[in-house]
Amino acid sequence: MRLLSGIQPSGNLHLGNYFGMMRPAIELQSRGEAFLFIASYHALTSVSDPAALRRGVRDVALDFLACGLDAERTCFFRQSDVPEVTELAWLLSVITPMGLLERCHSYKDKIAKGIAANHGLFAYPVLMAADILAYQSTLVPVGRDQKQHLEVTRDIAIKFNQQFGEVFTVPEGHIPDAVAVVPGLDGQKMSKSYNNTIELFGTEKETRARVMRIVTDSKPLEASKDPDTCTIFSLYKLFASEAERDALAARYRAGGMGYGEAKKALFEIFWTRFAPFRARRAELEQNPAFVEAVLRRGADRARAEAARTLAAARRAMGLD
Ligand code: ADP
Ligand code: TRP
C-alpha cells in the first residue's frame, strides 16, 4: 500500500485539519509507504504574497513534524521541489474533459465567494491528480471536502490507462468516518475561510479566547443539556478517552453544568494533550537546518519516483 496526501500551506493549521487529515495521515504511516507533501503550487491559487507563502510552507513543515510525522518513515517534501508533477499535469490535462472540472464544487464555491476565476483555480484538480498519480499512490487520506477531487483523479487515471495503456495506479480515497467534519466555533465546518477555527499552535490566551467564543444554545446552568448537538462536546470528544467522554456527557445530561465550564474542560484537554507537540515545535523552530534537510531528502526521493512515472506517461503518449 502506498499512501499519499498533501496539504496547502495557506493559513495556520486548525483542529479540522488535524483530525480530518493530519492525524489520519500520521497514523497511516505505520501501515504502508507514505508520501506527504506541502502543496506549495496549489497554494499559489490563493496566496500571492511571497513572504506569506514562505512562512506558510515553513509553518506546515513544523506543524507536521511536531505532531508526530516521522520523516524516517514518511517521505515528506514540498510539492514545488518536484517540478515533474507540473509536466504530468499537462499530459493529464489534454485528456481531462472540461465538464469534469466544471462540475467541481470546490471551484464553484470559490467563484461564488468572489475569488477571481483563473486558469490555475480551474485546473487545480488536474494538478492534484498529477500529485496523486505521479507516486502511484493507492490510498489518499483526505477530509470529506476533497472526495470529489479524488473521483476526478480516478476518472482521469482510468481514461488515460484506457487510451494509452496501463501507466497509472487507480487510487482509493480514505475518508476517516469518525471525524468526517470537525465543527468550528459557529457550528459550521471549521475552516480558515469561515474565521471559525481553533488553531493548533495558537498562544494560550488566543486559544482560550477562541474556545470561549464557541456558540451554544442559551439553556440555563441548571438545565439538562444534550451533548450530541453541542459543538463544545463534539470537539471535546475528539481528544477524550471513552471514559472522559462518557463522564462529560453524563454531566451535560444531569444539568447543573454551564457551557462555560464545558468550554474550560475543552480548553484544558486540548492544551494538555498538545503540550508535547508544542514543546517539540518550539525545539524544531530553533533548528531550521534540520527541517530543511528533511524536506530536501524527501524531495530527492519523491522526484525519483515522479520522474519514473512521468517517463512512462511520456512514452505512452508518444513523446519519447
Ligand atoms: P480549510 O477549510 O481551512 O481551508 P483545507 O481546505 O486547506 O482547510 O483542508 C486541508 C485538509 O484538512 C483537507 O484534507 C481537508 O479535508 C481537511 N479539513 C479541513 N477542514 C476540516 C474540517 N472542518 N473537518 C475535517 N477535515 C477538514
Ligand atoms: N487539495 C488539497 C486540499 O486543499 C491539497 C492537495 C493537493 C492534495 N494535492 C493533493 C491532497 C493530493 C491529497 C492528494 O486539501
Side-chain angles (χ1 to χ4, degrees):
M1 185 166 69
R2 176 166 293 176
L3 307 155
L4 169 126
S5 198
I7 184 135
Q8 288 202 57
S10 43
N12 295 339
L13 296 183
H14 53 71
L15 292 178
N17 301 136
Y18 180 73
F19 289 106
M21 186 273 181
M22 294 171 77
R23 196 178 65 173
I26 291 170
E27 278 170 1
L28 283 168
Q29 72 188 356
S30 57
R31 286 186 34 204
E33 227 186 328
F35 284 70
L36 187 79
F37 66 91
I38 305 171
S40 39
Y41 282 140
H42 277 114
L44 291 174
T45 62
S46 59
V47 183
S48 52
D49 171 10
L53 184 60
R54 274 184 212 110
R55 196 166 20 168
V57 170
R58 184 201 81 131
D59 283 347
V60 174
L62 289 173
D63 290 353
F64 268 90
L65 292 169
C67 289
L69 181 109
D70 176 355
E72 297 299 319
R73 280 196 293 200
T74 296
C75 176
F76 187 40
F77 61 101
R78 275 178 292 244
Q79 183 186 32
S80 48
D81 284 345
V82 187
E84 283 79 3
V85 297
T86 59
E87 183 178 345
L88 186 60
W90 175 255
L91 302 188
L92 299 178
S93 77
V94 300
I95 60 147
T96 305
M98 286 292 283
L100 196 60
L101 301 180
E102 277 161 356
R103 280 196 296 277
C104 286
H105 304 302
S106 161
Y107 174 71
K108 289 195 284 196
D109 290 350
K110 286 171 187 162
I111 299 305
K113 263 193 258 154
I115 298 175
N118 65 38
H119 173 253
L121 204 61
F122 186 64
Y124 183 111
V126 184
L127 181 58
M128 183 158 162
D131 290 326
I132 296 171
L133 302 177
Y135 308 105
Q136 306 287 353
S137 322
T138 50
L139 200 67
V140 185
V142 283
R144 191 166 295 283
D145 56 343
Q146 296 296 318
K147 188 166 173 263
Q148 193 183 30
H149 286 159
L150 251 134
E151 283 158 10
V152 169
T153 301
R154 288 171 53 86
D155 285 352
I156 294 176
I158 292 169
K159 190 159 181 227
F160 187 101
N161 287 349
Q162 275 170 355
Q163 208 165 323
F164 298 107
E166 294 288 322
V167 169
F168 300 119
T169 304
V170 181
E172 301 285 336
H174 171 85
I175 294 157
D177 279 341
V179 284
V181 176
V182 175
L185 303 182
D186 54 0
Q188 294 191 74
K189 176 193 135 133
M190 186 178 288
S191 169
K192 60 180 171 287
S193 3
Y194 303 150
N195 188 24
N196 64 356
T197 62
I198 299 176
E199 291 178 6
L200 292 186
F201 294 103
T203 64
E204 180 165 0
K205 191 163 167 232
E206 270 160 24
T207 308
R208 202 184 285 275
R210 302 290 284 182
V211 170
M212 289 300 161
R213 271 182 45 201
I214 296 174
V215 178
T216 61
D217 59 33
S218 48
K219 286 208 175 107
L221 185 99
E222 19 352 309
S224 162
K225 301 178 180 67
D226 181 2
D228 298 325
T229 55
C230 176
T231 304
I232 310 166
F233 188 77
S234 305
L235 294 171
Y236 182 86
K237 248 183 1 192
L238 296 168
F239 296 99
S241 66
E242 210 167 313
E244 288 165 333
R245 191 185 63 199
D246 292 348
L248 188 65
R251 295 200 59 206
Y252 263 80
R253 295 200 179 92
M257 182 189 69
Y259 287 118
E261 204 181 327
K263 288 176 180 177
K264 285 205 181 89
L266 169 60
F267 171 79
E268 289 305 330
I269 199 167
F270 169 38
W271 203 251
T272 316
R273 296 284 142 91
F274 262 62
F277 296 165
R278 271 195 305 279
R280 171 110 180 102
R281 196 179 189 285
E283 241 172 68
L284 289 163
E285 223 174 332
Q286 300 306 313
N287 200 350
F290 169 80
V291 177
E292 186 57 28
V294 163
L295 295 174
R296 288 263 163 238
R297 191 153 35 94
D300 287 344
R301 203 175 136 216
R303 259 196 112 163
E305 192 71 41
R308 226 185 337 266
T309 306
L310 178 61
R314 287 178 57 111
R315 221 173 11 252
M317 295 179 97
L319 288 173
D320 44 351

